[in-house]
Amino acid sequence: MYATNVRNLKKNPSEALRQAEESPVLVLKGNTPNALIVHLDTSLDKTKNMLNPALASSLFKDKVLSLGAAAKISGLCLSDFIDHLAELDIDIVTADQQTKNEADTLKVWLS
């Protein structure tokens, strides 16, 4: 699946349309999935199978689903789904206060 942001879509809409002939194009606003461009000649079944990764990515990013559940909904194996998230620039792990505490503890152990 091809992903583009609004700025690139404005600059070169024909690229997004060319990409849509192969698979749906995910349009990002900032780093958040915002819209999907689907070619009209694509069969409904093929479109549905290509939409599942986009939907799963959005639900994972919004913390509605765990990584495993999102991968299952996407129809991709876990490693392929992780690659898909990387292409969309969606972080798999987000740092929080506990992450900082663990990093500090690790530094103490390693010194």
Side-chain angles (χ1 to χ4, degrees), residues 1-2 16-17 19-27 35-48 50-51 54:
M1 177 180 294
Y2 180 75
L17 293 176
Q19 292 290 335
E21 291 175 4
E22 299 298 319
S23 66
V25 174
L26 186 62
V27 180
L36 200 62
I37 301 172
V38 180
H39 195 272
L40 293 177
D41 289 340
T42 306
S43 73
L44 190 57
D45 285 336
K46 186 177 177 184
T47 300
K48 180 192 171 291
M50 290 184 282
L51 290 178

Side-chain angles (χ1 to χ4, degrees), residues 1 47-57 70 73-75 81:
M1 177 180 294
T47 300
K48 180 192 171 291
N49 290 338
M50 290 184 282
L51 290 178
N52 287 347
L55 175 62
S57 300
I73 286 176
S74 75
F81 185 65

Side-chain angles (χ1 to χ4, degrees), residues 25 36 51 70 80 82 89-90 98-99 110:
V25 174
L36 200 62
L51 290 178
D80 289 343
I82 290 171
D89 213 16
I90 296 174
Q98 184 64 28
T99 307
L110 293 175

Side-chain angles (χ1 to χ4, degrees), residues 1 6 13-14 33 35 38-39 42 44-45 57-58 60 64 67 72 76 85-86 92 102-104 106 108 110-111:
M1 177 180 294
V6 174
S14 59
V38 180
H39 195 272
T42 306
L44 190 57
D45 285 336
S57 300
S58 182
F60 173 75
V64 174
L67 180 62
K72 187 173 182 179
L76 302 172
L85 292 174
I92 296 169
E102 290 171 355
D104 292 342
L106 183 61
V108 170
L110 293 175
S111 60

Side-chain angles (χ1 to χ4, degrees), residues 31-33 55-65 90:
N31 283 336
T32 305
L55 175 62
S57 300
S58 182
L59 292 172
F60 173 75
K61 182 175 170 72
D62 292 343
K63 297 182 171 115
V64 174
L65 293 177
I90 296 174

